[in-house]
Amino acid sequence: RRHALPPPATRRENSTLIVAGLAVSAGALLARETMKLVEARAEAAKQQADAGGDKAKGDGAASSGGGFAAMFDSFGKRHYDGPFEAPMTRREAALILGVRESANAKRIKEAHRRIMRINHPDVGGSAFLTAKVNEAKELLIKGKDD
């Protein structure tokens, strides 16, 4: 007794299988690279903790020894980590507002307004951070005209 063989696959079925295989491969590669990145960040954090948490002089990303992950450590950051300096500097104020030190008054006011909408004490924000954001705006806007 002979069993009938299934009909040969059509071109459409073949292309679907190829696309599915490529998608699975891409997902696996992405997962592998993500795990490498996570491990590198964990190692860098461990090294920093072993060193007492002090930042080395120079560029933090280059000196942390985290390799590929350390190069992109600040990538996508849209906030200032702190700690705040006792007399606020123009550089710190620019970092807090997310603008350049040389930004015009209009850009400084827009950045201030954007941050205050999110962090205003009336909507559950911190009064301390609000004071720091206001101080940063006043420091940067001083001497600039609209």
Side-chain angles (χ1 to χ4, degrees):
R1 177 172 192 204
R2 281 195 161 172
H3 295 284
L5 294 175
T10 64
R11 288 180 77 118
R12 182 179 181 121
E13 291 170 344
N14 284 340
S15 63
T16 302
L17 290 174
I18 291 172
V19 169
L22 289 173
V24 169
S25 314
L29 288 173
L30 180 66
R32 183 178 73 181
E33 293 303 314
T34 302
M35 289 304 297
K36 285 182 184 178
L37 186 65
V38 167
E39 289 171 2
R41 284 189 179 205
E43 181 65 29
K46 181 180 177 187
Q47 287 176 358
Q48 187 177 11
D50 290 345
D54 294 334
K55 289 187 178 180
K57 287 187 177 182
D59 184 24
S63 63
S64 68
F68 180 79
M71 287 191 292
F72 296 99
D73 220 17
S74 64
F75 181 74
K77 282 190 176 178
R78 299 196 56 146
H79 63 279
Y80 177 62
D81 288 346
F84 296 112
E85 298 173 17
M88 186 178 290
T89 62
R90 291 184 63 79
R91 180 178 179 274
E92 182 182 28
L95 286 170
I96 290 171
L97 292 177
V99 298
R100 295 181 185 211
E101 290 179 53
S102 59
N104 61 20
K106 180 181 176 188
R107 184 163 295 212
I108 293 167
K109 288 177 183 178
E110 287 172 356
H112 175 263
R113 191 172 295 117
R114 176 179 37 86
I115 293 171
M116 291 305 291
R117 265 192 239 129
I118 297 167
N119 194 52
H120 197 277
D122 291 347
V123 292
S126 163
F128 174 72
L129 291 179
T130 298
K132 286 296 182 181
V133 170
N134 286 333
E135 183 182 355
K137 175 192 162 207
E138 290 169 13
L139 182 67
L140 286 177
I141 242 171
K142 191 185 313 177
K144 296 187 180 193
D145 46 10
D146 293 325

